[in-house]
Amino acid sequence: MDRTKILVTGGAGYIGSHAVVELYEAGYQPVIVDNFVNSQESALAGIEKILGVKVPLHRIDCNDLEALRAVFAEEGSLRGVIHFAAHKAVGESISKPLEYYQNNVGSLLTLLQVMREFGVEALVFSSSCTVYGIPDALPVTEQTPTKKANSPYGATKQMCEDILRDVATAPGASLHTILLRYFNPIGAHPSALIGELPLGVPQNLIPFVTQTAAGIREKLTIHGDTYDTPDGTNIRDYVHVVDLAKAHVVAVQRLLEGKAALVETFNVGTGRGNSVLEVVQAFERATGQKLNYVIGPPRAGDVPAIYADVTKSVQELGFRTASSLDEALASAWKWQQTL
Ligand code: UD1
């Protein structure tokens, strides 16, 4: 079978590795680009075990114009790109803003230049609900105005969205792009062969929860319980990473079938908000593990509550999540146990 080639930058990372698997299973030929600054080789072995084939890999930095050109030249017939490669830690971005702007904005500019040179016209971009800042009303729709970003990380996502809008709508441009605004991706592939691999102490909730249950961390600290929410803890929309990966396949399909407008934006979430305490309870229920936790002070930069309105992604993209919070948490726990 002649498979349509899709370049996946950051394809060895957490979301990227799951998207590579779903793309291949949907009949595409993913081609991975990764510089392994925040990903590990073991993800490649996991992908290979799941699929039974090796996925082509280029070990380069997307900021490296010549190296990226060489990848496009060597691959020859790329039809589209999914651009995951980026730094993603909110806290770190406050201490290293230059690195975040350079890496996240710089790599997109380099990628767009090379895509134009090689006539590749379809791009799915990893955006984030962070672009909404602290929203005035919930749930947030794609029409909800974006607010000043809470961190340089958030600012890079807003800037990248603006760049893509300008580039795709410039006279004579041929780029079509779908911006997927992820809510909180969690969980792991059901095989437990790939999953999230945080370096050092996890900053994100679910890896901290699973490491605490596994005895690696003594206790989870819940960052504040005096927010204006029913139980006082933050509310988020936790989406199973396999569902999120499938949204990328649907987006690629839409672009390649010529059904997409020049620029389209979709929320990718479940449409449900869960508080941190609800996540802890769901984890205990789904895994039978008792979780040791304490309430700590609020974390700087946290948005009190955000979850997605998914009407547009259901109606226009034809995408809907399938997994429950409990299923996602059970898969995260299964993955933790294999680590
Ligand atoms: C943030 C960004 C998101 C980004 C992600 C990547 C926003 C709105 N979202 O998600 O765009 O992709 O980081 O890292 O900016 N929590 C605890 N204890 C912990 C860890 C987390 O209570 O040890 C709480 C947090 O306060 C938060 C929730 O768990 O309420 C989720 O936190 P986290 O997993 O870090 O993701 P976000 O901050 O929501």
Side-chain angles (χ1 to χ4, degrees):
M1 180 174 58
D2 225 7
R3 288 171 173 265
T4 301
K5 275 191 198 174
I6 305 294
L7 192 76
V8 185
T9 76
Y14 173 42
I15 307 171
S17 59
H18 289 82
V20 163
V21 166
E22 296 306 319
L23 278 169
Y24 190 86
E25 288 184 338
Y28 293 97
Q29 178 57 64
V31 174
I32 299 174
V33 159
D34 210 295
N35 65 356
F36 295 95
V37 290
N38 191 26
S39 55
Q40 291 172 41
E41 304 274 339
S42 57
L44 304 173
I47 292 170
E48 190 178 338
K49 255 203 183 129
I50 294 168
L51 298 177
V53 294
K54 255 194 160 59
V55 172
L57 163 75
H58 298 269
R59 199 179 297 268
I60 65 148
D61 188 322
C62 291
N63 275 289
D64 185 338
L65 178 63
E66 284 310 324
L68 199 58
R69 272 193 187 126
V71 169
F72 276 66
E74 188 184 329
E75 291 297 337
S77 53
L78 293 169
R79 288 287 314 283
V81 178
I82 307 179
H83 185 43
F84 290 106
H87 293 330
K88 60 138 226 176
V90 173
E92 183 187 59
S93 77
I94 295 167
S95 51
K96 296 183 178 170
L98 183 56
E99 282 80 356
Y100 270 69
Y101 289 110
Q102 176 66 57
N103 187 59
N104 292 8
V105 181
S107 69
L108 177 68
L109 294 174
T110 308
L111 175 66
L112 287 173
Q113 182 178 340
V114 178
M115 286 178 70
R116 186 169 62 183
E117 285 170 14
F118 285 81
V120 181
E121 298 175 350
L123 176 67
V124 180
F125 177 71
S126 299
S127 189
S128 167
C129 67
T130 196
V131 301
Y132 296 114
I134 299 179
D136 291 332
L138 291 171
V140 288
T141 75
E142 292 81 352
Q143 303 307 317
T144 298
T146 58
K147 295 270 203 67
K148 184 172 164 35
N150 272 10
S151 67
Y153 159 75
T156 68
K157 291 295 171 189
Q158 293 181 338
M159 284 177 192
C160 287
E161 285 202 357
D162 288 343
I163 290 166
L164 285 167
R165 274 187 214 100
D166 288 346
V167 170
T169 58
S174 51
L175 180 74
H176 285 66
T177 183
I178 293 183
L179 316 178
L180 296 181
R181 290 177 175 165
Y182 313 156
F183 284 67
N184 287 54
I186 61 164
H189 193 266
S191 65
L193 290 166
I194 52 173
E196 193 166 2
L197 285 167
L199 293 174
V201 181
Q203 304 300 309
N204 292 113
L205 178 62
I206 304 310
F208 208 104
V209 164
T210 59
Q211 289 194 7
T212 304
I216 302 167
R217 310 279 158 209
E218 189 203 332
K219 56 179 186 292
L220 167 74
T221 301
I222 294 182
H223 299 316
D225 70 348
T226 54
Y227 286 98
D228 185 16
T229 60
D231 67 23
T233 64
N234 288 159
I235 289 174
R236 296 287 183 274
D237 185 333
Y238 295 94
V239 51
H240 196 306
V241 69
V242 173
D243 280 330
L244 175 57
K246 287 180 173 157
H248 293 78
V249 177
V250 176
V252 163
Q253 230 144 15
R254 179 174 174 85
L255 286 164
L256 297 188
E257 285 170 359
K259 291 182 180 157
L262 291 175
V263 188
E264 294 183 331
T265 307
F266 295 106
N267 285 339
V268 187
T270 64
R272 290 184 308 268
N274 287 104
S275 72
V276 180
L277 275 171
E278 283 172 343
V279 170
V280 168
Q281 286 154 8
F283 180 80
E284 292 185 334
R285 184 170 65 226
T287 65
Q289 298 296 311
K290 192 94 195 83
L291 199 75
N292 191 14
Y293 72 86
V294 292
I295 307 289
R299 180 172 70 174
D302 266 340
V303 170
I306 189 162
Y307 58 98
D309 183 312
V310 295
T311 311
K312 186 181 174 204
S313 46
V314 169
Q315 289 180 355
E316 288 181 38
L317 190 59
F319 170 79
R320 171 192 303 277
T321 57
S323 297
S324 67
L325 178 62
D326 288 37
E327 285 165 336
L329 292 169
S331 74
W333 177 234
K334 186 178 169 192
W335 164 244
Q336 179 67 55
Q337 288 172 293
T338 68
L339 284 176

